[in-house]
Amino acid sequence: MLITLTPLQLVVVNVAAWPLIHMGAAWLGTSLRDELFRPNAWLYRERRWERGGRLYEQAFRIKAWKDRLPDGAALFKGGFRKKRLTNRDPDYLRRFQRETCRAEAVHMAVLLSSLLFFLWNPAWVGGLMIAYAVLANAPCILAQRYNRARLERLL
């Protein structure tokens, strides 16, 4: 802990930091060029163990809950809604795939930013912030990877 704050200040800073981090990462993600989000890039490409998305269906029962996740695309101009597939045109499907990469990158950035909380929190609170980040972002990351595999099958 590099910064010392009172307990009340910690609560205020922590509560304020999360929306700023979420919105800042989302804004940055929507402002980056499309070319940065290639589905065949190392970070985003499907792994053999994902088995075309079947891993997510079997291990995480993703079909039962993925439609309940919020879609933050509407919050920013130019955001691409990923809640529903609106057509099967190959160009649209490729764009959808790119946008799943963008969303995955944003959620990974938010998840990694949880480490910042160790700057002003005791270690145990920093651990809680990591736990929150995992609980809030891992389902979204799983959904993006699952949707990208399904889109690849459609293409």
Side-chain angles (χ1 to χ4, degrees):
M1 179 168 65
L2 296 175
I3 303 167
T4 305
L5 299 172
T6 68
L8 178 61
Q9 289 171 326
L10 281 176
V11 170
V12 170
V13 169
N14 289 337
V15 168
W18 276 121
L20 290 172
I21 289 169
H22 281 283
M23 298 303 287
W27 174 81
L28 180 62
T30 58
S31 66
L32 294 173
R33 296 186 334 261
D34 290 349
E35 298 81 42
L36 295 172
F37 304 103
R38 296 184 327 270
N40 61 348
W42 178 84
L43 182 62
Y44 307 116
R45 74 171 155 242
E46 185 181 343
R47 308 293 190 242
R48 185 175 302 138
W49 50 264
E50 292 176 288
R51 299 186 332 260
R54 285 184 292 286
L55 167 80
Y56 304 109
E57 292 171 1
Q58 294 165 350
F60 299 103
R61 297 180 40 131
I62 198 164
K63 286 183 176 181
W65 52 263
K66 80 174 190 73
D67 291 337
R68 295 187 186 121
L69 295 173
D71 186 351
L75 299 175
F76 298 97
K77 183 179 179 186
F80 184 90
R81 292 182 182 256
K82 295 167 291 305
K83 204 72 155 162
R84 305 230 182 300
L85 194 64
T86 60
N87 70 65
R88 292 177 185 250
D89 175 66
D91 289 337
Y92 170 79
L93 296 175
R94 282 189 206 82
R95 168 104 194 268
F96 202 128
Q97 274 189 314
R98 262 195 326 275
E99 295 301 328
T100 65
C101 296
R102 185 185 314 269
E104 183 178 343
V106 165
H107 286 286
M108 287 298 293
V110 172
L111 185 61
L112 290 172
S113 71
S114 65
L115 298 173
L116 293 172
F117 285 83
F118 285 96
L119 294 175
W120 62 83
N121 283 292
W124 70 272
V125 176
L128 289 175
M129 295 299 115
I130 288 175
Y132 162 76
V134 169
L135 289 172
N137 291 283
C140 300
I141 293 167
L142 294 174
Q144 299 313 318
R145 296 197 65 82
Y146 173 69
N147 286 337
R148 195 160 49 252
R150 291 177 61 211
L151 290 163
E152 186 60 35
R153 285 195 308 246
L154 280 174
L155 283 165

